[in-house]
């Protein structure tokens, strides 16, 4: 046993520093106590390699980085992120975990946080795209999770910089992902769709839900979750206060598998009142009559919610996948019928999803909101009145009178709350521009 006057040496008679020791198999280790009071150790095959690691540990300590970061893997940091992450919808959180466990955890996730370099993250993304043929949207989701996990490691002083910063942008520039620009249906395409659904005996039962999607701009989960108590046919208003989501509950502590849940709308602004056009009100009435004639029972109960408006033949609720399958059949048969007529330059239905049906409404409402904002700015700032006034006139070309005025003269309009009045105004103008009124 070495005394204070004796210095410890390895088998080659080299003096060892404090914390250093040589193991029976000839390798070396360095042990120290961290600021948290825990003992840590690193190992090396040679003394030179060990002392390089000691020097790096000291530098990390001066820089404020945790020494235990050398042992923490990406998977361990992700598991910690899952424990403390808040503010996500359950279905979004489950999707994030599914994507990570499928693509990141098996290989890349085993890497140590401390040794991770930007080039390795870039190589991993290239591998996903080039060898596994992962779509751009999937890489986006993976990057969203991985970037947050690595940023948490930076905040907790495991690493100095986030190695995933800027990698996704470089990947998109180098690979030039081909993404088809989404667009809503044009007015002739919408008219073709609704006319075909209302007159075709095979598909006429789909007319009500598609008419509501087109006429309200609501999301599919919001429409599927509507109950009869959420609509007022007399005043023509729809109360949007929840949404229906369908996803796989993989890590649920109770029931696992794919099933529905009721969530709050996607954003805070999603809790709103939406006015009905006449054909939307008729669509609700048609759905009620159809269910009464066919004897469909609405017995489904989801998180305490019952009496849903749109149900299938078994009385269950719809989800996005079901409607998109129906849309593909409708597009095929509708276009075949149009082409058989032999018309020159016929209007055909493009490929679209049920989410695309809300784009025309959102587009026109945003346009009109900008118009009203410009009017307000012109009144509030007289110096800028001339410029904004000219811009407003460009948007109003061809309009002989304001589409808002008839609504303002209605007795029931004066009784509405301010938020509902603004919804009516924006909706009426947007529908006037799109040609529905």
């Amino acid at each position: 046993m070495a005394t204070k006057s004796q210095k410890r040496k390895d088998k080659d008679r080299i003096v060892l520093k404090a914390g250093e020791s040589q193991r029976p198999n000839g390798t070396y280790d360095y042990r120290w106590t961290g600021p948290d009071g825990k003992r840590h150790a690193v190992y090396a095959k040679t003394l030179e390699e060990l002392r390089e690691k000691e020097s790096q540990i000291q530098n990390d300590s001066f820089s404020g980085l945790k020494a235990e970061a050398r042992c923490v893997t990406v998977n361990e940091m992700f598991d910690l992120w899952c424990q403390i992450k808040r503010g996500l919808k359950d279905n979004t959180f489950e999707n994030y975990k599914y994507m990570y466990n499928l693509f990141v955890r098996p290989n890349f996730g085993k890497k140590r946080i401390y040794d991770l370099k930007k080039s390795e993250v870039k190589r991993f993304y290239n591998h996903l795209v080039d060898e596994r043929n992962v779509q751009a949207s999937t890489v986006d989701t993976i990057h969203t999770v991985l970037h947050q996990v690595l940023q948490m490691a930076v905040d907790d002083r495991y690493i100095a910089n986030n190695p995933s910063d800027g990698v996704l942008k470089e990947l998109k520039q180098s690979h030039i992902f081909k993404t088809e620009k989404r667009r809503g249906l044009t007015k002739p395409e919408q008219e073709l769709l609704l006319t075909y659904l209302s007159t075709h005996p095979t598909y006429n039962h789909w007319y009500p839900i598609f008419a509501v999607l087109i006429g309200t701009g609501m999301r599919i989960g919001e429409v599927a979750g509507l109950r009869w108590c959420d609509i007022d046919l007399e005043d023509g208003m729809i109360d949007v206060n929840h949404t229906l989501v369908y996803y796989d509950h993989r890590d649920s502590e109770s029931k696992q598998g794919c099933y529905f849940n009721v969530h709050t709308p996607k954003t805070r602004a999603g809790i709103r009142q939406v006015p009905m056009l006449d054909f939307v009100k008729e669509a609700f009435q048609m759905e009620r009559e159809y269910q009464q004639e066919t004897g469909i029972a609405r017995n489904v109960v989801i998180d305490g919610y019952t009496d849903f408006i749109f149900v299938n033949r078994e009385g269950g609720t719809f989800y996005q996948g079901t409607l998109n399958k129906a849309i593909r059949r409708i597009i095929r048969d509708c276009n075949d019928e149009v082409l058989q007529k032999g018309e020159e330059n016929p209007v055909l239905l493009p490929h679209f999803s049920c989410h695309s049906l809300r784009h025309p409404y959102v587009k026109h409402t945003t346009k009109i909101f900008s118009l009203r904002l410009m009017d307000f700015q012109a009144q509030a700032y007289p110096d800028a009145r001339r410029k904004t006034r000219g811009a407003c006139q460009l948007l109003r070309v061809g309009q002989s009178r304001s589409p808002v005025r008839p609504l303002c003269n209605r007795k029931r309009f004066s009784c509405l709350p301010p938020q509902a009045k603004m919804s009516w105004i924006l909706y009426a103008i947007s529908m006037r521009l799109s040609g529905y009124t």
Side-chain angles (χ1 to χ4, degrees):
M1 182 176 178
T3 62
K4 294 183 178 180
S5 60
Q6 295 175 336
K7 295 183 178 180
R8 293 183 303 108
K9 299 179 181 180
D10 63 2
K11 294 179 181 180
D12 296 329
R13 310 299 296 173
I14 298 176
V15 177
L16 299 176
K17 298 179 181 179
E20 296 177 345
S21 62
Q22 188 175 28
R23 308 173 76 189
N25 61 0
T27 59
Y28 295 84
D29 62 21
Y30 172 69
R31 299 177 182 274
W32 77 100
T33 302
D36 54 359
K38 295 182 180 180
R39 295 286 291 173
H40 305 281
V42 292
Y43 305 91
K45 293 182 178 180
T46 64
L47 187 59
E48 291 77 10
E49 181 183 351
L50 182 70
R51 288 182 174 173
E52 287 181 3
K53 291 184 177 182
E54 290 179 45
S55 177
Q56 188 62 51
I57 291 172
Q58 293 175 359
N59 292 336
D60 292 344
S61 178
F62 292 142
S63 302
L65 299 181
K66 294 181 178 180
E68 57 268 28
R70 291 177 170 273
C71 306
V72 177
T73 64
V74 179
N75 284 340
E76 292 171 340
M77 189 58 63
F78 171 77
D79 293 338
L80 176 61
W81 177 82
C82 289
Q83 294 176 12
I84 64 177
K85 183 64 179 177
R86 297 293 184 273
L88 292 177
K89 301 287 186 182
D90 290 343
N91 55 329
T92 302
F93 192 39
E94 289 294 332
N95 184 52
Y96 282 171
K97 290 191 290 185
Y98 172 75
M99 289 295 182
Y100 182 91
N101 292 329
L102 180 62
F103 294 104
V104 183
R105 186 177 291 277
N107 296 305
F108 187 83
K110 296 178 181 178
K111 295 181 178 292
R112 294 183 177 181
I113 288 280
Y114 184 85
D115 299 327
L116 206 55
K117 302 293 187 293
K118 184 175 182 178
S119 59
E120 293 182 282
V121 179
K122 189 179 298 185
R123 186 182 298 112
F124 171 61
Y125 287 174
N126 287 334
H127 168 76
L128 293 177
V129 176
D130 298 334
E131 299 183 25
R132 301 192 62 173
N133 298 319
V134 174
Q135 297 295 322
S137 58
T138 304
V139 178
D140 265 329
T141 302
I142 295 171
H143 175 76
T144 298
V145 178
L146 190 58
H147 186 271
Q148 292 184 39
V149 171
L150 296 178
Q151 187 58 47
M152 187 178 69
V154 174
D155 297 338
D156 288 351
R157 297 185 292 110
Y158 284 96
I159 51 179
N161 301 297
N162 191 332
S164 66
D165 282 341
V167 175
L168 185 62
K169 182 179 179 180
E170 296 176 7
L171 180 76
K172 291 183 176 180
Q173 291 175 345
S174 61
H175 285 76
I176 312 178
F177 289 115
K178 295 180 180 180
T179 55
E180 185 178 352
K181 186 177 181 181
R182 295 179 180 178
R183 72 170 183 87
L185 298 182
T186 62
K187 178 188 174 185
E189 292 168 350
Q190 292 180 24
E191 292 176 347
L192 173 63
L193 174 62
L194 294 179
T195 301
Y196 180 77
L197 292 177
S198 62
T199 57
H200 200 284
T202 305
Y203 297 112
N204 58 4
H205 64 282
W206 288 111
Y207 173 82
I209 190 169
F210 284 111
V212 173
L213 284 169
I214 291 175
T216 62
M218 294 168 61
R219 298 178 176 88
I220 177 58
E222 296 170 343
V223 173
L226 281 177
R227 302 166 296 167
W228 289 108
C229 61
D230 295 322
I231 65 172
D232 187 341
L233 294 176
E234 292 185 3
D235 293 337
M237 296 298 292
I238 304 173
D239 185 19
V240 183
N241 52 54
H242 63 276
T243 184
L244 203 61
V245 294
Y246 181 83
Y247 63 98
D248 190 356
H249 300 67
R250 298 177 183 87
D251 299 328
S252 176
E253 296 180 358
S254 54
K255 180 182 176 182
Q256 295 186 347
C258 295
Y259 54 89
F260 286 100
N261 277 129
V262 175
H263 288 181
T264 57
K266 186 175 181 180
T267 62
R268 291 184 179 179
I271 301 176
R272 63 200 186 279
Q273 287 187 321
V274 179
M276 298 182 197
L277 290 174
D278 290 338
F279 78 93
V280 174
K281 183 183 296 185
E282 292 173 359
F284 284 121
Q285 294 170 342
M286 288 176 59
E287 180 65 21
R288 173 174 283 172
E289 294 172 0
Y290 171 75
Q291 293 180 10
Q292 291 175 349
E293 292 175 0
T294 56
I296 295 177
R298 301 185 300 273
N299 298 324
V300 62
V301 179
I302 302 175
D303 293 342
Y305 286 67
T306 59
D307 201 29
F308 293 98
I309 295 177
F310 298 107
V311 294
N312 55 31
R313 288 174 293 183
E314 289 76 25
T317 52
F318 291 109
Y319 73 104
Q320 187 169 344
T322 302
L323 292 178
N324 285 333
K325 288 179 181 178
I327 286 174
R328 288 194 289 269
R329 297 194 300 270
I330 292 169
I331 292 173
R332 178 197 63 198
D333 295 346
C334 179
N335 288 344
D336 285 346
E337 184 176 298
V338 172
L339 292 174
Q340 287 177 3
K341 296 179 180 179
E343 299 178 355
E344 187 177 355
N345 299 324
V347 176
L348 298 175
L349 292 179
H351 290 287
F352 66 94
S353 65
C354 53
H355 183 75
S356 304
L357 297 178
R358 73 184 302 261
H359 287 183
Y361 176 87
V362 175
K363 177 181 177 182
H364 286 113
T365 304
T366 304
K367 179 179 179 181
I368 298 307
F369 182 79
S370 300
L371 172 64
R372 307 305 295 179
L373 180 61
M374 291 163 61
D375 278 339
F376 172 78
Q377 291 174 338
Q379 296 175 10
Y381 304 98
D383 294 339
R385 185 179 182 86
R386 185 174 302 173
K387 293 182 180 180
T388 55
R389 187 177 177 185
C392 292
Q393 289 175 349
L394 290 176
L395 290 175
R396 288 174 176 159
V397 171
Q399 292 188 9
S400 59
R401 59 190 179 90
S402 171
V404 181
R405 192 170 301 153
L407 283 177
C408 295
N409 292 333
R410 294 183 181 179
K411 293 182 179 179
R412 68 181 183 184
F413 181 80
S414 61
C415 301
L416 294 175
Q419 185 179 5
K421 287 182 179 179
M422 181 57 68
S423 297
W424 268 109
I425 292 173
L426 295 179
Y427 197 81
I429 300 177
S430 66
M431 291 298 104
R432 175 63 61 85
L433 286 182
S434 61
Y436 279 106
T437 58

